[in-house]
Amino acid sequence: MNLFKSSWKVFWRNPITMVAAIALFVVCNGIGIYLALQFDHVLVFTSCLLRCQLIWFIGFGILGQIFIGSAKDKRLWEALGVIHGGRGKQLFSQGLVLGAISLILFVNLFLYACVIMARQGDGSIAVFFHFFKVYLLDVWLLSMMGIALGGAIAVAFGRGIVSYGVLIGAFLLFSPLFQQFLVQVGYQNSVVQYGSVLDLFPYRAGSSFVIDNFYGYPNEAVRWNRILFWVFFFIAVLCWLLKGKRKTGWAVTALCTVVAVGQLAGFFLGGSQHYWGYDSSKDIWLADQDYFQRRSDKERPGNVSIAAYDMELSIKRELKAAVTVELADVRETELPFTLYHGYRLRSIKDNRGEEVPFERDGDYVLVSVAAADPSALTFLYEGNGAGYYSNSQGILLLANFPYYPMAGYLPMAQFQKRANGLGDTSFLTAEKEFQVDIESDVHSLFCNLPGENGHYEGRARGLTLVGGLGKAVRLGETEIYMPLMNEDESQSWMNAEEAFRLSEEEREQLCQKLGLSAEQLHSPKIIVGGGNLPVSPFIQLPDHIYTSLNMRGLNQLALESSLPDYSAKKSYSALEVLKGEAGNPMVDEKREVLEAFLSFSLYGKRAVVERLGRESDGIAYQIGRSIVEDGEAAVLQKLYPYLMDEEDMRPLQEVLEVQG
């Protein structure tokens, strides 16, 4: 303790270290105050603040080099060498001083987040603990890494020009500049990808950041492994330089080396991440875009009828699954399935527990069951799904995403390229029996099936799992799962109860106008998604709805989703052109009718007045004139069944002239 007090006094009496530390705190607090005045949402504030991680990493690296390097003064170093363990004890006390200062900075910056959480009215322990871990990793441990780096270089090279040159070189290796250089070299090269161990930050410089209120700020095990590896690696180097012939020095060096190797092994184990960095093969936005641009969909005739799923899912670092598919009426020897390419398929076993051969081509799996009992197949696999993440921090696995084996070959590339193709649920037609057991550490978990404590079962068209910093609330007959950090709807969101009440009133009025029953367009479960993610902003199935948009927009999305898609194709096959199916004018007309119908249904007389005041001809004008003459309900109730029937190609005028 006396040595620590002495080193503390030396640090603050040295004008260089004192000025450097004060400057570091002034800069960090200046940034913190500026951002706290700009943002009233803790996740946005933290995402912006932690873009400045290089400041405290470099700052403490320099402090470590200067302060720990001061012990390398020739006379002091020789004097410490005479004392048993003198050098090690001196450097340890100096490291403790710098560690204490970095801990003060951690508390200092975390207090800004606490103030914003209090101002936001968020008293959730889960949210508090999440951001505590975030600041612990990205402020304190990153600062400790800088201290260990600077100290190791100081002991190895002293305090000369060479030492400062090595320190600057190390900073460049850990900076975004080196990651940008690796991108130019080619990140698809497997050797170059090892450079990701130097990529300390989840977002690339200059990019926007992903806001996901269910997930929070990226704090995955992989990021802890990477930073802890470097902390213990640099400490191990420091201890090795000091070890001499003493057993204690060897033991500490060996211990730090073992911990560093363990953390490196954990890093290369990988896992699901919220990553928006320089490696496009892992980027949650770019990974699938790049992948599907290079691939085309496959077609494979074959009828696979799935009767039931029995799933055992473990979600820790990533999804680990054993999914048994019960098949009905198997008549073929080769069965096609779709399973997202990010999952590593280990084996497939038949109903007798014997492995069956299969071929894997990206998302497509062709299973040979000629010599097997095909009544049930068990798929064993693990991995992650880019934007569809699954780890201990959060889960986003929507029913129309093939994170479990789905029948046939789905047009995955078409889903990715087509506008709102990721929201397509047309292939989820028949209900199946699901029995699901989930082991996970997420704060809360939502499933569209009934159940609790990780066990869910029931009949549904598909299985949706969403978990993280969320809560379930019941409003009337509807269960809503929403982020904890949106509890008071502090930004663009309205109060949840008020928004839901207004949405229900609008839905009832809309159903009345269209001549539908009061229960149509209603969903028993709603998931209000967390933010701007590379998944569909809206999917609708009979038992639940997922939306990443404002709750007030649910009626528009539900109505639009319930109607056929008359969107124009970007390209046509030669056969379609020969058959005259390219650019069908009646389909084009129905698309215009659909657009006008949605506008008039949702916005009523205001939309009619705007259209009539702006146009004097066209589809929308015709419908608007009919509404003025015959009434809103009469016209809309003619158009709704017309649009629902894709085979009905009557001209609009003929539809409008039918007597109601």
Side-chain angles (χ1 to χ4, degrees):
M1 182 58 72
N2 289 333
L3 196 55
F4 173 79
K5 290 180 180 178
S6 174
S7 297
W8 181 267
K9 291 177 182 177
V10 169
F11 180 90
W12 292 109
R13 287 173 181 172
N14 184 326
I16 296 176
T17 54
M18 180 186 69
V19 170
I22 291 174
L24 179 60
F25 272 77
V26 168
V27 170
C28 291
N29 278 279
I31 295 170
I33 292 170
Y34 172 77
L35 294 175
L37 294 174
Q38 294 291 314
F39 304 110
D40 59 357
H41 192 281
V42 65
L43 181 54
V44 179
F45 167 82
T46 298
S47 298
C48 292
L49 178 66
L50 295 186
R51 287 297 180 92
C52 305
Q53 291 160 306
L54 272 177
I55 293 176
W56 47 85
F57 172 63
I58 292 174
F60 277 103
I62 294 171
L63 283 173
Q65 205 275 348
I66 295 172
F67 189 51
I68 293 177
S70 65
K72 288 281 292 198
D73 178 81
K74 186 175 182 181
R75 286 180 296 176
L76 176 59
W77 195 248
E78 290 175 354
L80 290 171
V82 177
I83 304 170
H84 179 72
R87 291 174 178 173
K89 292 176 182 177
Q90 176 63 32
L91 294 182
F92 180 70
S93 70
Q94 290 176 310
L96 280 181
V97 168
L98 292 173
I101 294 171
S102 68
L103 195 61
I104 293 171
L105 180 66
F106 153 69
V107 173
N108 181 186
L109 295 181
F110 182 56
L111 281 175
Y112 287 109
C114 292
V115 169
I116 292 174
M117 282 188 278
R119 195 168 68 195
Q120 190 179 334
D122 193 343
S124 167
I125 297 297
V127 173
F128 174 87
F129 187 58
H130 167 71
F131 284 102
F132 176 83
K133 291 190 296 181
V134 166
Y135 282 79
L136 191 67
L137 174 66
D138 285 287
V139 177
W140 186 62
L141 271 180
L142 194 62
S143 299
M144 291 298 293
M145 177 181 161
I147 293 167
L149 169 64
I153 291 173
V155 172
F157 299 99
R159 292 194 295 171
I161 295 176
V162 173
S163 178
Y164 287 111
V166 172
L167 185 64
I168 292 171
F171 288 152
L172 288 173
L173 278 179
F174 289 107
S175 75
L177 291 174
F178 186 68
Q179 296 301 319
Q180 292 169 1
F181 166 74
L182 289 180
V183 170
Q184 299 301 318
V185 171
Y187 234 122
Q188 300 307 315
N189 186 308
S190 59
V191 176
V192 177
Q193 286 185 356
Y194 287 118
S196 61
V197 76
L198 300 167
D199 188 7
L200 304 177
F201 317 117
Y203 301 128
R204 58 183 175 272
S207 68
S208 303
F209 42 77
V210 177
I211 295 297
D212 183 352
N213 291 311
F214 278 132
Y215 198 83
Y217 191 83
N219 194 242
E220 305 92 353
V222 171
R223 297 197 64 234
W224 281 84
N225 291 144
R226 177 167 38 206
I227 293 178
L228 283 171
F229 160 70
W230 286 114
V231 170
F232 282 98
F233 173 77
F234 291 131
I235 293 176
V237 170
L238 190 57
C239 292
W240 182 78
L241 292 170
L242 295 171
K243 67 183 186 309
K245 297 181 180 180
R246 285 181 287 274
K247 293 181 179 179
T248 304
W250 280 101
V252 174
T253 303
L255 177 62
C256 290
T257 302
V258 169
V259 174
V261 170
Q263 295 300 324
L264 185 62
F267 169 76
F268 283 113
L269 273 177
S272 179
Q273 299 180 65
H274 225 289
Y275 177 78
W276 202 349
Y278 296 92
D279 185 354
S280 62
S281 67
K282 299 176 185 174
D283 188 291
I284 68 171
W285 275 93
L286 298 179
D288 280 349
Q289 291 180 19
D290 291 350
Y291 179 83
F292 288 114
Q293 278 179 357
R294 302 191 304 269
R295 295 185 65 87
S296 58
D297 294 325
K298 293 179 67 175
E299 293 185 4
R300 175 66 167 76
N303 181 27
V304 177
S305 179
I306 298 177
Y309 287 97
D310 189 344
M311 302 184 179
E312 293 183 10
L313 309 178
S314 176
I315 302 176
K316 301 293 185 179
R317 295 178 75 99
E318 60 185 6
L319 173 65
K320 185 175 183 180
V323 177
T324 299
V325 179
E326 294 183 17
L327 303 175
D329 194 23
V330 179
R331 299 182 180 180
E332 302 183 21
T333 58
E334 291 186 326
L335 305 178
F337 294 90
T338 300
L339 180 68
Y340 180 75
H341 61 270
Y343 298 109
R344 302 178 295 277
L345 183 55
R346 301 301 187 190
S347 66
I348 302 176
K349 298 181 179 181
D350 68 4
N351 202 31
R352 297 190 297 257
E354 298 177 0
E355 290 196 11
V356 297
F358 65 90
E359 295 178 7
R360 183 87 186 265
D361 182 11
D363 301 283
Y364 303 125
V365 181
L366 187 63
V367 185
S368 177
V369 294
D373 177 359
S375 59
L377 297 175
T378 299
F379 292 71
L380 303 174
Y381 58 93
E382 58 197 36
N384 60 84
Y388 296 89
Y389 52 79
S390 51
N391 57 37
S392 295
Q393 187 172 337
I395 300 170
L396 180 63
L397 299 171
L398 302 181
N400 65 338
F401 173 67
Y403 68 94
Y404 56 93
M406 294 185 176
Y409 285 171
L410 300 180
M412 298 292 290
Q414 182 183 338
F415 289 159
Q416 183 70 36
K417 297 170 185 176
R418 198 179 73 218
N420 200 33
L422 296 175
D424 195 325
T425 59
S426 60
F427 56 92
L428 299 173
T429 54
E431 286 192 345
K432 302 166 183 65
E433 190 70 35
F434 283 87
Q435 184 160 312
V436 186
D437 288 292
I438 306 170
E439 182 185 4
S440 175
D441 297 328
V442 293
H443 169 70
S444 64
L445 178 65
F446 170 89
C447 179
N448 59 303
L449 300 174
E452 58 184 358
N453 299 325
H455 178 78
Y456 305 90
E457 57 182 285
R459 294 189 64 80
R461 293 188 186 179
L463 180 70
T464 287
L465 299 172
V466 178
L469 298 172
K471 64 173 183 178
V473 295
R474 180 165 288 279
L475 299 175
E477 297 299 317
T478 303
E479 181 183 352
I480 301 176
Y481 185 68
M482 58 191 301
L484 286 168
M485 284 185 281
N486 269 347
E487 184 169 355
D488 69 341
E489 314 296 354
S490 60
Q491 290 186 304
S492 63
W493 295 78
M494 300 173 61
N495 176 272
E497 290 191 34
E498 179 66 11
F500 180 75
R501 184 186 65 78
L502 293 173
S503 178
E504 285 292 276
E505 289 180 1
E506 289 177 355
R507 182 181 63 82
E508 291 174 5
Q509 293 170 5
L510 181 59
C511 288
Q512 187 175 3
K513 282 195 296 186
L514 300 179
L516 306 177
S517 68
E519 290 306 308
Q520 288 186 263
L521 306 182
H522 173 262
S523 178
K525 293 185 177 182
I526 298 172
I527 310 161
V528 182
N532 58 330
L533 295 167
V535 302
S536 172
F538 181 80
I539 69 166
Q540 181 178 26
L541 287 167
D543 60 343
H544 71 286
I545 285 175
Y546 170 87
T547 176
S548 61
L549 306 174
N550 192 304
M551 201 183 301
R552 288 295 305 280
L554 280 181
N555 294 318
Q556 175 182 352
L557 293 165
L559 177 60
E560 188 172 351
S561 179
S562 69
L563 292 163
D565 182 11
Y566 293 102
S567 58
K569 283 187 178 183
K570 293 183 179 179
S571 60
Y572 297 89
S573 67
L575 183 60
E576 287 175 318
V577 173
L578 290 173
K579 287 182 176 180
E581 296 175 359
N584 187 329
M586 291 309 302
V587 173
D588 294 339
E589 180 174 298
K590 288 197 78 169
R591 181 169 59 255
E592 291 186 51
V593 173
L594 174 61
E595 292 172 359
F597 171 81
L598 290 171
S599 177
F600 294 144
S601 298
L602 297 163
Y603 304 111
K605 293 180 180 179
R606 175 167 58 87
V608 174
V609 171
E610 289 179 358
R611 286 283 189 172
L612 295 180
R614 192 171 63 243
E615 300 176 8
S616 59
D617 196 7
I619 297 295
Y621 179 81
Q622 292 180 52
I623 297 173
R625 290 301 309 173
S626 294
I627 288 175
V628 171
E629 295 170 2
D630 302 332
E632 187 177 23
V635 174
L636 296 178
Q637 288 176 27
K638 293 175 184 177
L639 294 178
Y640 183 75
Y642 167 68
L643 290 169
M644 288 295 292
D645 186 357
E646 295 184 70
E647 301 298 323
D648 189 346
M649 289 298 169
R650 290 177 294 161
L652 174 63
Q653 195 59 41
E654 183 179 333
V655 175
L656 294 176
E657 288 174 355
V658 173
Q659 295 299 314

